[in-house]
Amino acid sequence: MGRYILKRVLQAIPILIIVSVISFSLIKLAPGDPVQAFVTPKMSAAQVEMVRHNLGLDKPIYIQYLRWVSGVLKGDLGYSLVNYRPVTAEILGRIPATLWLMGVSLVFSVIIGITLGLLSAFHKGKFTDSIISFFSYIGISIPSFWFAMILIVTFSSKLGILPSVGMRTVGVNSFWDVLKHTIMPALVLSIQNTAIITRYIRTNAITQMKEDYVRTAVSKGLTLKRVFTKHVLRNVLLPIVTILGMSLPDLIAGAFITETIFGWPGMGRLGINSIFSFDYPLIMGITMLSSVMVILGNLISDILYGIVDPRVKAVI
């Protein structure tokens, strides 16, 4: 297992290099100039060029990239061009909020997705199966920003039972307050993942019910419900580990939209703000951290899959 982990880590290095090169190039080629944030109407052309020189933006793009890489290898992601704070400090201050939102979304997706998927499979072809399938198709196809607007209008504007902005209420410091702020963003972030898990569990459970070991267990006198919960459930849940690893990129990408709509003080909202303000160091820091999170999530998924499935462990 140790050799496998080391191999995967080494394979991630060229991936991160490629991601950094592409991201850095796209940022530099995008329209807009961060120098404009520092320019005032009274500045002369020479003063504007001095600002560009001080920011290091007058160098060729490959020189700027090498300087950035050199800083990263030393543990320095640079300073934000907007608020002049270290990029590392900016990101670390936002990570807890994003991890909390992603964690709640994952737990919600797994619990609801597995429950609905098993119910749908157990009642295959019946009314319950049709209703669950209908809502799972809606969950897969519904745009997250539209769903967010519907939740805000319904539960915040009309009913007034859930807050629509932020992570905490000003002057209130309680877990229940944080939980109320989390409900709607977590629902938006998890709806598509929940629908995917539901469909996967349903299909896999129906397939497992046709296997010989199910017929054998039923022929020995076990009820179908007991076979379903005792034997089928374990085989159905095994691939969930892989699904969760594959869902990380969608969660990270979805966090950018969700956090911006709900004013959530996380990494996604910080990334959107940095893009609009052409804050190159902050954009690169968030991009690379998101890439590391995706790679790390897939690695953890593979390791857990090897632990729960002896056949995979033997191959590893």
Side-chain angles (χ1 to χ4, degrees), residues 147-160:
F147 183 53
M149 293 295 102
I150 294 297
L151 291 180
I152 291 174
V153 170
T154 303
F155 295 101
S156 185
S157 299
K158 300 293 184 182
L159 301 178

Side-chain angles (χ1 to χ4, degrees), residues 298-315:
N298 288 329
L299 175 60
I300 294 175
S301 174
D302 291 343
I303 294 173
L304 291 177
Y305 198 80
I307 292 174
V308 299
D309 192 342
R311 295 170 300 178
V312 177
K313 187 175 182 179
V315 173

Side-chain angles (χ1 to χ4, degrees), residues 214-278:
V214 175
R215 298 192 186 96
T216 302
V218 172
S219 65
K220 289 182 179 181
L222 294 177
T223 63
L224 187 61
K225 184 177 181 180
R226 181 171 177 79
V227 174
F228 196 84
T229 57
K230 187 78 174 178
H231 302 285
V232 174
L233 182 60
R234 181 178 180 181
N235 292 328
V236 167
L237 295 183
L238 195 58
I240 287 296
V241 177
T242 302
I243 294 178
L244 293 180
M246 294 172 61
S247 67
L248 272 179
D250 294 331
L251 283 176
I252 294 174
F256 280 76
I257 300 174
T258 304
E259 290 184 4
T260 302
I261 293 175
F262 289 97
W264 190 264
M267 226 170 44
R269 185 184 175 192
L270 180 65
I272 292 294
N273 292 337
S274 64
I275 290 173
F276 282 111
S277 58
F278 304 104

